[in-house]
Amino acid sequence: MMNMAAMRILALLGAASVMTIAGAAPARAHDASTVVASPRATYSLNPGWRMTTGDIKGAEQPGFDDAKWRIVTLPNAFNEKQAFARDIRELSTGITWYRKRITLPAGAERGKAFLEFEGVRQAAEVWVNGRSVILSENGAMAFGADITPMLRPGENLIAVRVDNDWRYKERATGSGFQWNDRNFNVNYGGITKNVRLHLTGKLYQTLPLYSGLGTTGQYVWAGDFDLRARAATIHAETQVRNDGDAPRRIGYRVEIRDREGKLVGRFDGEADTVHPGSTETLSAAARLSDLHFWSWGYGYLYTVTTSLIEDGKAIDSVDTVTGFRQTRFADGMIELNGRVIQVHGYAQRTSNEWPAVGVSIPPWISDFSNALMVESGGNLVRWMHITPSKQDVESADRVGLIQAMPAGDAEHDVDGRRWEQRKELMRDAIIYNRNNPSILFYEGGNESISDAHMADLMAIRDRYDPHGGRAIGSREMLDSEIAEYGGEMLYINKSSDIPMWAMEYSRDEGARAYQDEHTPPFHTDSPDYNRNQDSHAVEDVRRWWDYYRVRPGTGERVSSGGVNIIWSDSNTHFRGDNNYRRSGEVDPVRLPKQGFFAHQVMWNGWVEPEKPATHIIGHWNYAVRTAKDLMVVSNGESVELFLGDRSLGKGKHEYGFLFTWPKVQWRPGTLRAVATHADGSRSEHALETAGAPAAIRLTPRTSPRGFVMDGADVALVDVEVVDAQGRRVPTAGHKVSFELDGPAEWRGGIAQGDSSGKPRPEVPVAQESIPGTTSHPGTARHEDNYVLSRTLPVEGGVNRVLLRAGTRKGAVRLTATAEGLKSATVAIPVVLPEPATNGLSPDFPEHHQPGLLTRGPTPAGPSYRPTRSTILPSRIVAGSNQAEAERSVDDNELSRWASDGKRETAWIEYHFDRPVTLSEIELKLVGWRSRSYPLRFTLDGRTVWQGETERSLGYVGQAFAPATGRVLRISQTGPVTDRDGFGNIVELSTARQAGDTGANEVPPGWGLGIVEADFHGPAPRD
């Protein structure tokens, strides 16, 4: 069951009773100000489009008859119903047309009009009144168009032709886009993000839309921090354009309001004359105190209003919602507001999609998902391959979730036009998102790029975001001279220089339905991408321990953590039986899996856990005579298990956070785990045996203002099978049928299987081989996963369904029935949005989303305690290849020392300039994943440790009783052989993909190879 903190988060984000936070700052960027009046206006163009598929001649012309086209509200993908029902490579592609009519307010013809598209997939040509205004082809970023010359009095037509072909080529160059990839970038085609209209005067603040407009908009940042005094200097600058015919003397004013709307700062910059046809930058700065710094789990945002002042009046005012925080990236660590934070979070596909709606979700759903990441203990989301949507970027600001923002790529460096495309996309993404405080990392690639290319991207960052406090780097930039962070896909890296954090780890898959081998559908663990939930959670613990054991405080060289791939099951690159990826810690409708709760225990602190926490993996409803291995995740020192009043003893402690009891005989009652912590405190978790299934329970979740009839809002409804006491029955798998009444559209849920009832093949079926994609056989490749079905099963006693809002008044009622259970009906109250006039809507759903302050401000004091000291050698002597011996301690994990393959020379000595006390040697050994080395450590000739190292995903630590001496020798005592210790890791089929462990260049046998060695002693005394 979800803990109380998680339930509070969900209640805040959207439960049956709607809660709002008065005065909370709405999240908006570069829109006309709602707090300082000026002639500038911003409208949503999302409602009231007509849409059809097929390439239709003349559809861009105003006189074209579109009366038979479907009416849709944006965002909308024409193939959204295929989300999770089909393999990513089988999603429909083609041409989609959208048309909308608008009439501008009186007086608008005297100023400027700009369209803003937050994103279209893939290529979009836009016409206004039959004239082409913009062609956008990258499919990943926002773009804008100046439509002023095309407008006319009265009604105006906007027409958009979208082509989402996987093989789309740029018209001008014939080049494809590297990120238009059938493995990773799920292809929901059409206008899949918001569209806005901005109306300004002839002299105006520009928009941050470089593509189409060539402009950069506003830039707000904080500097010269005094964290103790909560003070900083706030800077604001704005690009200003004069499209009039006379010079104008303009003042510049900045006003800052807190989340309650209170004015906390107001200051002016110097006035300037802006000449006709020119573009200038106006700026201002002031010192402010009593600031609330944005932090992990503390989405404190300010509204910064920048105004152009003429004759004492505001003639153009823009609101930018942002936050202020200090960062530092050095000594192998990441600091936020002066406190070290170890990365623990998720590598999430940028699509972040949901069944049957794809990426077309309202802002509150983004907050619901992203806040759950924080609630699980995640502090960072690494969006994968392409730039995240503006909606998700702003959502992460609100919930306090650090982001790593890519631009666009696939899995390797490129050159020529494709590299130019990547640079252009990075430029556009930085300009568009540089005011969002949650972005701490710009990612140059999902695979290493050359230092020359990294320099290209760094120059873009330095030009457009020189003060944002953001590091730029790339995956696998381990030995780069200029990258500001790095880390591999799977392995553990350490550094005393730039931070190193793993960008994808714990890759196995496991569907939420498969709880364990004792619970229907009785899924025995199969480690190669097909685990059950018990095993999947244990694997999460094992893999995190690899990073946690070398966390800040464990020596001079440390790991800055890593992100688990992925957060929610995804309709992208997969390896298991299904046609979608099931590596998530929540399923596609964000119902938690067991790994969610494991992470809550391990990840509840900035580095070390800061709150006592314990979780029993699984449930406690089994058949008589079942004997189950029990597992508890706890950050305590010891855990005792009780069944009723009887103690089952203390568990075996493994992987830092896991406690196990083999073959515990089941009997009904309450199973309770009680942990004792280092400070003497206790934490506990209990599971209770539920009774027989008796009824269905429905729980709706809506946005903070309710279920909004805007044609785009979504309501979630949780569906549970409960016993007579209202307890969820974790073994229930009933098929539930639904009946929906009222102005809402059924979008359904997801479950394992096919709604047609056809059986799965007994033999895995191979996928079609498509160039550029990976193919794996599976038994569930063509199942529809009950997507859009009106009947679907609960899994583990629970499921969740989606309803999409209509556009009219009326009661929405959902009834659920299942054989043998008491049925349930829920009524969901509806509210109407602010009405649109002449196609222009003043209603922005994101304005109603509160910022969440769940974790509170950045805590005072250190986030870790030193657990050992590091001693550096003064000289190294090797039995062979002496010239390379220094590579074994050079803090470069792409260099290594290796002996010459002879038994008598398979040794290396580390000399210290004084007697030192050592208690642990940490080694990254050549071929670490596939080789186990028999070694002996001697200190001044005395053996302090002898044994065989484990195969690992990076470092092995060999501890021994503290010993003192000046010369440490590491000797190989037997030959080594190659054997993979980690199963079928599909992505690591070549040495390069595997991060090059060196095993392909250093033969097995009598070859001792060391990539990095660290020498540790007891923790320093205070």
Side-chain angles (χ1 to χ4, degrees):
M1 294 182 67
M2 190 170 295
N3 67 17
M4 291 302 296
M7 293 174 68
R8 286 194 297 269
I9 283 288
L10 297 182
L12 176 61
L13 287 170
S17 58
V18 176
M19 179 184 296
T20 60
I21 297 181
R28 55 185 177 273
H30 62 256
D31 284 352
S33 177
T34 61
V35 291
V36 176
S38 80
R40 188 179 184 119
T42 302
Y43 297 97
S44 170
L45 296 187
N46 286 352
W49 291 76
R50 291 186 177 270
M51 184 269 280
T52 194
T53 55
D55 203 0
I56 301 172
K57 187 176 181 180
E60 76 279 8
Q61 296 301 323
F64 181 86
D65 184 5
D66 59 13
K68 294 183 179 179
W69 291 16
R70 186 161 67 95
I71 298 175
V72 299
T73 300
L74 301 182
N76 175 273
F78 80 93
N79 56 351
E80 65 175 7
K81 67 181 181 181
Q82 298 168 10
F84 288 95
R86 291 190 184 182
D87 182 329
I88 177 178
R89 302 176 307 172
E90 297 176 358
L91 292 175
S92 297
T93 60
I95 307 300
T96 312
W97 279 92
Y98 297 81
R99 286 167 53 97
K100 179 181 175 70
R101 293 173 173 85
I102 63 173
T103 300
L104 301 188
E109 70 279 0
R110 295 191 294 271
K112 300 284 294 184
F114 303 95
L115 287 178
E116 176 190 355
F117 288 81
E118 289 185 4
V120 174
R121 178 67 184 273
Q122 172 72 37
E125 186 167 6
V126 182
W127 290 264
V128 174
N129 295 326
R131 296 172 61 187
S132 179
V133 297
I134 184 71
L135 171 66
S136 175
E137 299 177 284
N138 66 46
M141 253 306 293
F143 59 94
D146 182 348
I147 63 172
T148 310
M150 291 75 181
L151 295 174
R152 60 193 184 193
E155 187 177 82
N156 294 269
L157 175 83
I158 303 170
V160 186
R161 178 186 183 272
V162 182
D163 184 348
N164 75 317
D165 192 337
W166 287 113
R167 298 160 299 185
Y168 182 85
K169 308 292 184 184
E170 266 186 331
R171 292 184 190 177
T173 68
S175 172
F177 293 87
Q178 188 189 12
W179 53 87
N180 193 10
D181 183 283
R182 275 182 278 194
N183 273 326
F184 312 112
N185 189 3
V186 65
N187 194 346
Y188 303 120
I191 307 179
T192 55
K193 298 174 187 176
N194 300 311
V195 181
R196 283 173 159 79
L197 174 69
H198 301 271
L199 301 177
T200 74
K202 293 288 187 180
L203 190 142
Y204 56 93
Q205 299 179 68
T206 67
L207 293 163
L209 295 169
Y210 204 92
S211 284
L213 296 177
T215 55
T216 57
Q218 298 71 42
Y219 184 34
V220 180
W221 76 92
D224 191 20
F225 286 85
D226 184 337
L227 297 173
R228 186 182 298 272
R230 292 171 46 204
T233 300
I234 309 302
H235 302 257
E237 65 179 40
T238 300
Q239 188 184 65
V240 178
R241 175 82 180 168
N242 185 354
D243 282 337
D245 54 10
R248 295 169 72 174
R249 185 74 175 169
I250 299 297
Y252 183 60
R253 178 168 298 157
V254 179
E255 295 172 295
I256 301 176
R257 290 172 173 82
D258 66 14
R259 63 184 267 116
E260 304 301 326
K262 178 184 175 183
L263 184 68
V264 297
R266 176 175 175 174
F267 47 94
D268 292 344
E270 293 186 5
D272 197 3
T273 298
V274 186
H275 295 278
S278 69
T279 302
E280 306 290 344
T281 298
L282 303 183
S283 62
R287 189 81 174 161
L288 296 184
S289 57
D290 294 325
L291 291 170
H292 297 267
F293 296 127
W294 186 95
S295 187
W296 170 38
Y298 190 70
Y300 201 102
L301 301 175
Y302 290 86
T303 299
V304 179
T305 305
T306 51
S307 297
L308 305 183
I309 307 297
E310 188 176 43
D311 297 330
K313 296 181 179 180
I315 63 166
D316 187 274
S317 296
V318 172
D319 284 344
T320 299
V321 172
T322 187
F324 310 124
R325 78 288 184 275
Q326 184 189 56
T327 59
R328 182 174 180 265
F329 309 93
D331 305 321
M333 295 184 285
I334 302 160
E335 288 185 13
L336 175 61
N337 300 331
R339 198 170 202 248
V340 171
I341 189 166
Q342 188 181 30
V343 166
H344 39 72
Y346 303 97
Q348 174 75 341
R349 302 296 187 199
T350 296
S351 49
N352 209 17
E353 71 272 30
W354 290 65
V357 297
V359 296
S360 302
I361 57 172
W364 87 266
I365 294 288
S366 291
D367 284 17
F368 180 86
S369 179
N370 293 334
L372 277 173
M373 284 198 219
V374 175
E375 185 60 27
S376 77
N379 57 32
L380 181 144
V381 58
R382 174 192 175 241
W383 304 109
M384 300 181 68
H385 296 286
I386 65 167
T387 311
S389 70
K390 191 64 173 178
Q391 179 169 299
D392 267 321
V393 169
E394 293 180 341
S395 172
D397 287 345
R398 291 191 293 265
V399 304
L401 180 63
I402 299 168
Q403 300 182 78
M405 186 201 81
D409 76 344
E411 289 276 298
H412 54 85
D413 207 352
V414 289
D415 53 22
R417 177 57 192 151
R418 289 195 298 167
W419 177 247
E420 294 300 314
Q421 291 169 339
R422 281 175 63 167
K423 289 199 301 181
E424 292 164 5
L425 189 54
M426 179 62 81
R427 174 202 65 202
D428 292 357
I430 287 177
I431 291 169
Y432 200 56
N433 296 310
R434 62 186 177 175
N435 293 317
N436 295 94
S438 53
I439 297 174
L440 264 61
F441 300 95
Y442 292 138
E443 181 176 290
N446 194 56
E447 176 63 85
S448 59
I449 59 176
S450 69
D451 261 5
H453 281 173
M454 180 55 69
D456 287 347
L457 299 183
M458 187 171 289
I460 293 170
R461 190 275 310 269
D462 291 346
R463 178 177 179 184
Y464 295 109
D465 186 20
H467 308 294
R470 298 178 174 98
I472 189 164
S474 175
R475 199 181 98 191
E476 297 183 12
M477 298 294 283
L478 305 182
D479 61 346
S480 170
E481 295 293 325
I482 62 172
E484 295 167 344
Y485 73 94
E488 295 184 80
M489 179 177 73
L490 179 67
Y491 298 133
I492 294 84
N493 306 116
K494 297 200 298 179
S495 172
S496 61
D497 184 16
I498 65 172
M500 293 284 180
W501 50 276
M503 310 211 174
E504 306 169 29
Y505 80 88
S506 198
R507 311 181 65 81
D508 292 356
E509 300 195 24
R512 189 176 63 80
Y514 302 143
Q515 298 185 73
D516 57 47
E517 60 186 6
H518 306 290
T519 305
F522 306 112
H523 187 85
T524 302
D525 178 40
S526 176
D528 292 345
Y529 306 119
N530 201 15
R531 293 188 179 273
N532 61 41
Q533 285 306 290
D534 281 11
S535 166
H536 201 185
V538 171
E539 183 68 6
D540 281 340
V541 176
R542 291 181 61 199
R543 294 285 68 86
W544 175 244
W545 175 242
D546 290 335
Y547 301 95
Y548 182 76
R549 61 176 295 275
V550 288
R551 65 194 178 276
T554 60
E556 183 172 308
R557 300 177 63 252
V558 297
S559 165
S560 274
V563 288
N564 181 311
I565 181 170
I566 52 180
W567 162 241
S568 60
D569 292 351
S570 173
N571 199 180
T572 59
H573 192 209
F574 50 83
R575 301 150 185 80
D577 270 355
N578 296 68
N579 54 18
Y580 67 93
R581 188 183 187 113
R582 302 164 304 148
S583 298
E585 307 316 302
V586 295
D587 76 357
V589 292
R590 278 52 172 185
L591 287 169
K593 302 181 188 179
Q594 288 298 314
F596 176 97
F597 304 107
H599 286 135
Q600 276 189 322
V601 171
M602 301 185 294
W603 286 358
N604 70 29
W606 283 56
V607 175
E608 300 170 354
E610 295 168 356
K611 295 180 181 178
T614 297
H615 176 76
I616 305 171
I617 295 175
H619 62 86
W620 196 237
N621 270 60
Y622 292 99
V624 176
R625 291 187 294 276
T626 297
K628 184 190 178 185
D629 294 339
L630 288 179
M631 295 159 289
V632 172
V633 185
S634 179
N635 53 40
E637 297 289 309
S638 64
V639 178
E640 187 173 5
L641 201 61
F642 296 88
L643 182 51
D645 295 329
R646 182 169 64 91
S647 173
L648 302 181
K650 292 186 177 182
K652 179 181 177 183
H653 195 178
E654 304 176 80
Y655 310 117
F657 298 99
L658 187 68
F659 298 82
T660 59
W661 293 257
K663 302 300 178 185
V664 174
Q665 193 71 35
W666 177 82
R667 64 180 177 86
T670 299
L671 184 70
R672 191 164 53 98
V674 180
T676 301
H677 297 260
D679 62 359
S681 64
R682 292 193 169 193
S683 64
E684 65 177 78
H685 180 231
L687 297 175
E688 189 176 8
T689 304
I696 297 171
R697 181 167 62 208
L698 299 179
T699 306
R701 305 184 188 278
T702 65
S703 80
R705 57 176 174 158
F707 194 17
V708 183
M709 295 291 104
D710 60 2
D713 197 16
V714 168
L716 306 177
V717 181
D718 292 358
V719 185
E720 297 174 278
V721 173
V722 297
D723 67 7
Q725 297 182 46
R727 299 171 297 191
R728 184 191 299 172
V729 181
T731 54
H734 297 71
K735 282 191 175 181
V736 180
S737 296
F738 298 89
E739 187 174 313
L740 176 65
D741 296 311
E745 178 186 22
W746 176 256
R747 305 311 292 175
I750 189 169
Q752 295 290 297
D754 193 278
S755 62
S756 71
K758 63 184 178 184
R760 289 183 177 177
E762 294 184 4
V763 178
V765 178
Q767 295 172 278
E768 178 188 359
S769 180
I770 297 176
T773 66
T774 52
S775 301
H776 316 294
T779 60
R781 289 287 181 255
H782 298 291
E783 293 182 348
D784 67 8
N785 306 305
Y786 290 91
V787 170
L788 287 174
S789 174
R790 292 283 184 136
T791 300
L792 74 157
V794 295
E795 296 177 335
V798 62
N799 214 318
R800 178 174 285 155
V801 297
L802 288 74
L803 312 177
R804 178 176 280 159
T807 56
R808 59 180 176 83
K809 291 182 179 180
V812 172
R813 297 173 66 86
L814 182 68
T815 299
T817 59
E819 186 176 352
L821 300 178
K822 183 180 178 181
S823 63
T825 299
V826 65
I828 306 175
V830 304
V831 296
L832 294 178
E834 296 180 69
T837 302
N838 296 321
L840 308 179
S841 171
D843 193 89
F844 295 88
E846 62 270 29
H847 290 190
H848 303 273
Q849 287 302 114
L852 300 182
L853 309 179
T854 50
R855 292 189 60 88
T858 302
S863 56
Y864 65 88
R865 54 187 173 80
T867 60
R868 58 191 183 185
S869 58
T870 297
I871 301 100
L872 301 178
S874 57
R875 187 165 63 97
I876 305 174
V877 178
S880 57
N881 295 328
Q882 177 64 40
E884 299 174 359
E886 292 287 340
R887 296 181 181 178
S888 67
V889 294
D890 63 358
D891 203 11
N892 178 356
E893 297 192 0
L894 293 184
S895 70
R896 59 181 174 265
W897 166 83
S899 67
D900 60 4
K902 299 176 183 177
R903 178 174 183 169
E904 61 273 17
T905 58
W907 59 268
I908 188 168
E909 287 182 349
Y910 298 91
H911 295 241
F912 302 91
D913 59 7
R914 56 181 173 78
V916 297
T917 299
L918 298 176
S919 55
E920 185 171 3
I921 311 300
E922 206 158 46
L923 298 171
K924 192 167 196 176
L925 296 161
V926 167
W928 59 82
R929 178 168 149 244
S930 59
R931 292 185 183 174
S932 177
Y933 286 78
L935 298 178
R936 179 188 299 118
F937 302 161
T938 61
L939 190 58
D940 290 351
R942 306 183 312 275
T943 298
V944 295
W945 182 86
Q946 184 167 343
E948 189 162 331
T949 65
E950 295 180 346
R951 293 170 175 85
S952 75
L953 291 176
Y955 287 83
V956 291
Q958 306 300 341
F960 46 85
T964 302
R966 296 185 62 168
V967 180
L968 175 80
R969 175 182 277 217
I970 300 175
S971 306
Q972 186 176 348
T973 60
V976 299
T977 57
D978 284 337
R979 178 179 64 79
D980 194 333
F982 292 89
N984 177 30
I985 302 178
V986 172
E987 290 77 17
L988 308 184
S989 57
T990 70
R992 179 61 181 164
Q993 291 170 339
D996 190 359
T997 69
N1000 58 319
E1001 296 184 17
V1002 179
W1006 286 94
L1008 175 58
I1010 299 177
V1011 177
E1012 290 295 330
D1014 289 322
F1015 312 98
H1016 301 297
R1021 295 180 179 178
D1022 294 335

